[in-house]
Amino acid sequence: MKIGIIGAGNIGGNLTRRLASLGHEVSVANSRGPETLTALAEETGATPVTVAEAARDAEIVVVTVPLKNVPDLPAGLLDEAAEGFTVIDTNNYYPRQRDGRIAAIEDEGLTESRWVEKQLGHPVIKAFNGTYAQDLLERPLPAGRPDRMALPVAGDDESAKNVVRALIDELGFDSVDAGGLDDSWRQQPDTPVYGLRAGIEAVTKALTEADPERKESFRG
């Protein structure tokens, strides 16, 4: 598949490495320009592009930039993506550490990914937000292994969700359907599933144990 990755930090960089190694055609962009991605491109074979070009013809677009920077992404970013494309949102809201206070999340009760969806103007699937970046490189296992890690995936579009779950399986992980995007608070920071290195049963249980009340440490 043709995959565009917007953001080349820990998650974006390691997704670039893994997806390119699996034979996908990966374009990667960051806020500093393609010339700063030469080393990653040489390592992986991915194509460094501008943010405005990252989604061009892409079947999957991964948005993995700091949450506060999502509104600053170029207008029309997704206009040239492939027909029926899927957007993966890996973001988390860190109001005190990085993002500042976002009223729509705190006052209106939007989940982080619902807010991202509104900024992008296109449905998103929330995945990889509670995954340690290094685990993408070090913990993939074949399907059927009892110690295979599972990742929660939330979204409203079942077809798009299945695309993402198939990609996660290809990357070497199981997945758990975490519900619709309005249920994605169950995998936000400081919930039981966030950062959990466990299989399907434990991840499913952790999702049910989440508290919808946002912890004080994650309020602006």
Side-chain angles (χ1 to χ4, degrees):
M1 284 191 293
K2 184 168 176 52
I3 300 175
I5 299 179
I6 302 169
N10 294 332
I11 291 289
N14 283 353
L15 282 175
T16 298
R17 292 178 175 92
R18 289 299 320 287
L19 293 169
S21 74
L22 291 168
H24 295 287
E25 184 182 346
V26 179
S27 296
V28 60
N30 67 6
S31 60
R32 295 177 295 145
E35 65 279 0
T36 67
L37 296 170
T38 302
L40 182 62
E42 290 176 349
E43 175 192 346
T44 63
T47 302
V49 295
T50 66
V51 173
E53 298 169 321
R56 186 173 296 164
D57 299 323
E59 297 161 80
I60 293 178
V61 180
V62 183
V63 178
T64 183
V65 300
L67 196 74
K68 66 177 181 178
N69 294 343
V70 171
D72 298 327
L73 292 172
L77 173 68
L78 304 174
D79 288 355
E80 296 184 54
E83 185 176 353
F85 70 101
T86 296
V87 178
I88 300 175
D89 170 39
T90 77
N91 277 296
N92 294 305
Y93 176 45
Y94 299 116
R96 300 188 183 188
Q97 301 94 326
R98 183 190 65 194
D99 298 316
R101 191 178 192 279
I102 297 176
I105 292 176
E106 300 209 32
D107 299 338
E108 299 173 26
L110 293 184
T111 58
E112 300 162 353
S113 288
R114 183 67 75 193
W115 182 83
V116 170
E117 180 179 88
K118 288 180 177 295
Q119 307 310 305
L120 296 176
H122 189 276
V124 306
I125 303 297
K126 188 178 187 76
F128 301 111
N129 71 292
T131 309
Y132 293 104
Q134 200 62 20
D135 288 352
L136 294 171
L137 303 181
E138 297 178 352
R139 291 178 176 256
L141 289 171
R145 282 281 296 267
D147 51 345
R148 199 185 202 212
M149 278 178 54
L151 311 182
V153 181
D156 300 331
D157 185 325
E158 291 300 320
S159 177
K161 192 187 292 184
N162 288 336
V163 168
V164 176
R165 296 185 71 181
L167 190 70
I168 289 172
D169 180 59
E170 188 181 358
L171 285 165
F173 302 91
D174 288 329
S175 62
V176 172
D177 189 334
L181 212 58
D182 290 334
D183 299 312
S184 63
W185 55 266
R186 295 182 182 277
Q187 64 194 76
Q188 291 176 173
D190 210 16
T191 58
V193 81
Y194 185 78
L196 180 64
R197 290 166 162 151
I200 291 173
E201 184 177 350
V203 167
T204 301
K205 183 174 184 289
L207 287 166
T208 67
E209 294 172 343
D211 186 339
E213 185 72 21
R214 185 175 293 275
K215 301 290 179 63
E216 186 63 33
S217 55
F218 286 94
R219 293 180 184 172

